[in-house]
Amino acid sequence: MQEEIVRAHFHDYYSGINAERLYVPDFPKREFGFLRPDKREMVRHLSFHDVSSLRSYLVSIPVSHVYSSTAIYRDPSNKDMNAKGWEGSDMVFEFDADHVKQLKDKANVKSGVLDSSDWSLIKEHTRRLVNDFLVGDFGFNQKDISINFSGNRGFHVRVSSKPYLQLSQEGRRRLASYINGADLDVDLIYSKLKQRGRAKIIALSQPGWMSKVAKAMGDGQTSVEEAIDSIALDIDENVLLDLHRLIRHVNTLHASTGMMVVPVRDLENFVPYEDALVPCDEEVRIRLGDLRPYSGISIGNLTLSEGLGGKEVRVKRSVAVFLLLKGLAQSSD
Amino acid sequence: MPAGSEALKKYPFLRGAEELVEGLSLTNLSDFPRVLELAEKKVRYMLGLSRERDDPTDKRDAVAAFSASLAMASATGSRRLIRSYASALSRELEKELSTDAPDIYKEVAASLGVPVEFDGKEFRMSLLDYLSLKGIDNEPDLLLPQLKVERGVVYFQVNVFRRLISTVFRRTLVEKMESQMRELSAATIDPKVKDAIASISAEFSKRRGEEVDVSSLSPIESLFPPCVKFWTSEMNKGINIPHQARFLVATFLLSIDMSVDDVLKYFSHTPDYDERIARYQIEDLAGQRGSGKKYSVPRCETLRTSGVCTCRQGLCQHMTHPLLYYKISIQKRLNGDPNAGRDCAGSLS
């Protein structure tokens, strides 16, 4: 029964979607990959001429994770990577809850159900990545930056800037090391802090890491190391460096949550467990499991609580799919 | 616009310089005895083999001698000599620049393919151009977090930019000389020039000690580069290490002439160890199977990119290849240096 609910959820979503929502720039030049939820079999090296053929394919296949390449290729469906004809890759900065050090050990985060304070922190990190690093320091144009909710525990920030498409892995590594502070010379910061008068003011106002550290240190209550810790962002370097990476395709469904991988235009007011749930009127009956670690977290219009554990409830199908796939409920029909 | 005479004498690689020496090669160098003399003296002086410095007074001689000296260094066939010569020339360039006004830097940078602007106080270049620079990652001062970065523009103070130019210069020279070394055919070199090259090569080896042939020594684990030490110690603890790290360890051990059986011992503690599979893979890397291709040890740049590099301090700051670290550490140990091979030792517990 559970499988039927999930299958219907995916089938109805792809049958009803406006195919244009599946568009990404250079669509025919992207490689696509599909992974079943048991992660046993990856079908990749596929490409589609247009969004309608992708939509038809999605309607026809079993429930799957759907990925497309950050790269564009002359021949994206060629199985030989060397013969695909790489023409460039977007830069993707992946931000997941398990990359935020304050969150990675939390029990609810490990099982992939986040509370509102967890989301606030991830959104804050994503906002800093975009405003402070990508726009403020690197000078990327806002129109080249898109943020997608990953459909599960985080966000993908994508930079599609033509001049940067062919940037080498080495160049991308320099960007990653800048953001995560790996190449920072702490001794140099100390030496600048030791300067006096005008020289010190000039040194500390140097745009980039130096002024960020000086600002975070405030009136000196915060140490240099603490300041660095509060600024550095732990992005997944492998994602950025991998020129052939496949990432979740926009407006498809995450096969471990049933939620949409949606573009986020207003990050501050984005509520994942409302805005990324597939809108639907259909309701299904489920029996809830142990909800103790998740008390107070709302999924759609259902607020989880310890007291609901073991009870049967009628909820919107998208809420039911989320809870079923997360193992927090069973179908009761 | 062609560079002026004075500039070309100091910086004989500026744009337009090569036009002055078209047709000059190691085949006909002895037809230009003054150039041959200048080139030989330059190589000897820069490598510390002689104290005699002979600076050309004519821009054409300066350019020709510089170009010929690179060809002569390449013709020695010694990567160590090439690197030493490139390092010495880059140090000299940094020194020359420090005596000049920063306005000339732009021209020097342009000849190295580094586009830059100068506003009278600091240099600036686009972030994309900065990210495309090669060979600067071993210089902490030149790394992005240490620099002024704002809205896609990277700024350099004059002294830092000088370092940038000399670093790029060194890398450019090494690449040029290594490429010349691969293309040179000994048969086409003029006998007189060949004698000069042989003499430089012999004196350099004598001065610096014979190049260590690491494959002729028993493996000295304490002198392995920090990355190899780190990953072998992780394997010893029974930890599964990434594929790229396994590749590094296996190719490194094979390249210092360890047998497949000895290399296998290093892998025998990994949790997923299967001798049959591991032997097959190592024999493949050693070129004993399939295509017969022997795989090379990855360069430091590749190790950094793939996250396998574990040390950026001490000697590692200046390294381009793990085998180079091993060779230098052996040389240091032979010279009695007690700290040989101890870079990043604290992080290996």
Side-chain angles (χ1 to χ4, degrees):
Chain A
M1 190 58 203
Q2 169 169 332
E3 267 180 34
E4 259 173 52
I5 295 171
V6 175
R7 195 161 46 229
H9 175 75
F10 276 67
H11 184 270
D12 292 353
Y13 174 76
Y14 289 127
S15 302
I17 192 175
N18 174 354
E20 288 307 316
R21 291 179 59 208
L22 297 170
Y23 182 77
V24 290
D26 297 302
F27 183 87
K29 292 185 162 190
R30 307 275 174 186
E31 177 199 349
F32 281 79
F34 302 87
L35 181 67
R36 300 274 290 129
D38 59 16
K39 301 199 169 170
R40 281 201 189 143
E41 191 191 352
M42 175 87 168
V43 178
R44 60 180 298 182
H45 306 300
L46 297 182
S47 64
F48 298 90
H49 288 298
D50 54 39
V51 285
S52 301
S53 41
L54 171 61
R55 194 189 73 116
S56 305
Y57 185 78
L58 291 171
V59 173
S60 71
I61 58 169
V63 171
S64 297
H65 298 279
V66 183
Y67 304 93
S68 60
S69 59
T70 58
I72 50 176
Y73 302 103
R74 268 194 308 283
D75 182 9
S77 53
N78 198 313
K79 289 195 166 100
D80 177 356
M81 292 307 283
N82 295 323
K84 275 189 191 297
W86 181 79
E87 292 182 348
S89 299
D90 295 333
M91 286 184 284
V92 173
F93 301 84
E94 191 176 289
F95 242 127
D96 239 22
D98 59 357
H99 277 272
V100 179
K101 66 171 175 297
Q102 296 97 318
L103 300 183
K104 52 185 153 199
D105 294 328
K106 282 183 73 180
N108 64 307
V109 170
K110 279 184 179 165
S111 49
V113 184
L114 279 60
D115 62 33
S116 56
S117 67
D118 301 333
W119 283 120
S120 296
L121 201 57
I122 298 171
K123 287 197 286 183
E124 169 60 11
H125 280 221
T126 307
R127 187 197 61 75
R128 284 207 293 117
L129 171 72
V130 173
N131 293 355
D132 297 355
F133 289 101
L134 301 185
V135 175
D137 292 343
F138 301 160
F140 292 126
N141 200 318
Q142 281 279 11
K143 74 171 175 45
D144 293 333
I145 300 174
S146 54
I147 304 174
N148 282 352
F149 172 57
S150 73
N152 193 6
R153 299 188 298 182
F155 297 93
H156 298 156
V157 178
R158 184 173 190 139
V159 179
S160 309
S161 166
K162 274 237 155 64
Y164 280 82
L165 272 179
Q166 300 219 344
L167 183 63
S168 65
Q169 283 189 313
E170 190 52 26
R172 287 166 201 248
R173 194 199 64 75
R174 285 182 199 158
L175 292 180
S177 299
Y178 183 86
I179 294 168
N180 63 29
D183 285 340
L184 199 60
D185 183 347
V186 180
D187 293 340
L188 187 77
I189 296 178
Y190 275 113
S191 73
K192 288 189 174 178
L193 287 168
K194 275 185 196 154
Q195 292 181 338
R196 292 185 177 277
R198 195 173 144 69
K200 181 171 181 174
I201 294 169
I202 293 171
L204 299 189
S205 61
Q206 174 180 296
W209 261 97
M210 195 59 235
S211 63
K212 287 188 197 353
V213 171
K215 198 170 154 196
M217 289 179 71
D219 53 8
Q221 296 298 303
T222 309
S223 71
V224 171
E225 283 77 9
E226 285 167 340
I228 293 170
D229 252 14
S230 70
I231 299 161
L233 295 173
D234 188 10
I235 54 159
D236 190 336
E237 194 169 300
N238 292 329
V239 176
L240 181 61
L241 261 60
D242 188 350
L243 300 179
H244 304 285
R245 192 83 176 185
L246 296 177
I247 62 157
R248 286 181 191 283
H249 190 71
V250 67
N251 285 317
T252 60
L253 298 183
H254 194 298
S256 306
T257 65
M259 287 198 290
M260 297 179 287
V261 178
V262 278
V264 178
R265 293 195 174 83
D266 178 4
L267 184 64
E268 197 180 334
N269 294 310
F270 180 75
V271 182
Y273 295 152
E274 285 178 18
D275 300 332
L277 288 174
V278 175
C280 67
D281 295 326
E282 198 181 328
E283 291 192 339
V284 290
R285 227 174 161 68
I286 51 170
R287 182 180 294 281
L288 295 164
D290 180 4
L291 300 177
R292 274 174 296 181
Y294 316 108
S295 278
I297 298 176
S298 294
I299 312 296
N301 54 5
L302 176 73
T303 302
L304 308 180
S305 68
E306 189 177 343
L308 279 177
K311 292 200 172 140
E312 271 198 8
V313 289
R314 249 186 114 69
V315 291
K316 290 263 164 60
R317 189 172 66 187
S318 49
V319 176
V321 167
F322 178 88
L323 295 170
L324 291 169
L325 290 174
K326 286 286 179 192
L328 303 181
Q330 292 179 322
S331 73
S332 51
D333 291 327
Chain B
M1 198 178 73
S5 290
E6 284 310 308
L8 274 176
K9 275 195 270 172
K10 266 188 171 179
Y11 312 111
F13 52 88
L14 288 179
R15 276 185 181 168
E18 295 217 335
E19 290 164 22
L20 296 176
V21 292
E22 234 168 291
L24 181 75
S25 73
L26 295 183
T27 317
N28 60 6
L29 188 54
S30 61
D31 296 343
F32 306 91
R34 175 65 180 143
V35 174
L36 173 59
E37 184 193 3
L38 284 169
E40 189 180 348
K41 280 183 176 168
K42 188 169 183 74
V43 178
R44 285 179 181 283
Y45 178 78
M46 298 307 287
L47 291 176
L49 305 177
S50 145
R51 292 189 174 189
E52 189 188 350
R53 188 171 181 143
D54 190 356
D55 288 327
T57 49
D58 173 71
K59 70 172 177 185
R60 198 177 294 268
D61 282 351
V63 173
F66 176 75
S67 175
S69 76
L70 296 183
M72 288 174 79
S74 310
T76 63
S78 160
R79 284 203 156 80
R80 191 162 61 136
L81 188 147
I82 285 173
R83 282 192 298 268
S84 294
Y85 189 47
S87 295
L89 288 172
S90 82
R91 281 195 300 274
E92 190 193 41
L93 172 66
E94 197 170 344
K95 213 164 114 194
E96 290 287 6
L97 286 169
S98 67
T99 64
D100 257 333
D103 308 87
I104 187 81
Y105 295 17
K106 191 175 161 185
E107 206 179 328
V108 173
S111 66
L112 297 170
V114 179
V116 73
E117 292 300 328
F118 182 56
D119 64 7
K121 216 172 87 189
E122 50 190 3
F123 290 89
R124 61 175 189 277
M125 73 170 72
S126 79
L127 176 66
L128 186 58
D129 287 331
Y130 169 84
L131 295 173
S132 308
L133 294 173
K134 286 182 177 169
I136 59 169
D137 295 286
N138 288 334
E139 292 287 340
D141 294 355
L142 301 180
L143 297 178
L144 204 50
Q146 272 68 260
L147 302 172
K148 175 176 164 185
V149 188
E150 192 174 27
R151 303 241 161 220
V153 180
V154 186
Y155 298 82
F156 305 85
Q157 289 175 350
V158 173
N159 61 332
V160 177
F161 191 65
R162 225 167 22 231
R163 171 60 53 86
L164 178 95
I165 295 179
S166 72
T167 305
V168 173
F169 184 56
R170 181 186 178 282
R171 161 93 180 209
T172 308
L173 290 179
V174 169
E175 277 179 359
K176 182 172 180 161
M177 286 190 277
E178 288 194 342
S179 139
Q180 280 181 343
M181 186 176 84
R182 284 189 294 271
E183 286 160 15
L184 264 176
S185 156
T188 62
I189 303 176
D190 185 299
K192 233 184 198 173
V193 181
K194 220 183 246 178
D195 288 347
I197 292 167
S199 139
I200 290 171
S201 194
E203 279 181 51
F204 181 75
S205 295
K206 198 173 152 199
R207 171 74 59 114
R208 301 284 175 96
E210 285 297 330
E211 203 152 348
V212 181
D213 177 7
V214 290
S215 64
S216 66
L217 298 169
S218 332
I220 309 167
E221 284 191 6
S222 63
L223 300 179
F224 283 0
C227 49
V228 175
K229 271 193 226 160
F230 176 80
W231 293 114
T232 50
S233 113
E234 290 289 280
M235 284 198 290
N236 259 332
K237 292 179 203 159
I239 294 170
N240 240 336
I241 67 168
H243 165 76
Q244 294 97 325
R246 287 170 192 244
F247 185 82
L248 161 72
V249 172
T251 50
F252 178 84
L253 298 175
L254 289 168
S255 67
I256 58 170
D257 220 22
M258 258 197 200
S259 69
V260 170
D261 283 325
D262 285 340
V263 175
L264 270 174
K265 287 178 197 153
Y266 281 84
F267 288 85
S268 61
H269 299 292
T270 50
D272 56 352
Y273 180 70
D274 176 326
E275 196 200 317
R276 193 180 55 83
I277 297 172
R279 177 178 293 280
Y280 183 90
Q281 290 168 336
I282 291 167
E283 284 177 353
D284 188 41
L285 294 178
Q288 296 171 7
R289 285 185 174 273
S291 64
K293 178 188 170 191
K294 186 175 177 184
Y295 287 81
S296 311
V297 186
R299 294 168 57 85
C300 291
E301 200 170 317
T302 313
L303 297 175
R304 277 194 292 273
T305 304
S306 55
V308 174
C309 167
T310 58
C311 178
R312 299 206 192 167
Q313 297 166 16
L315 188 56
C316 275
Q317 280 182 65
H318 312 288
M319 285 301 101
T320 53
H321 200 280
L323 275 176
L324 181 61
Y325 180 98
Y326 187 49
K327 283 184 186 180
I328 293 177
S329 297
I330 290 174
Q331 199 76 60
K332 281 179 153 187
R333 174 68 58 85
L334 292 173
N335 294 341
D337 183 346
N339 290 321
R342 291 193 48 81
D343 298 288
C344 293
S347 60
L348 295 176
S349 58

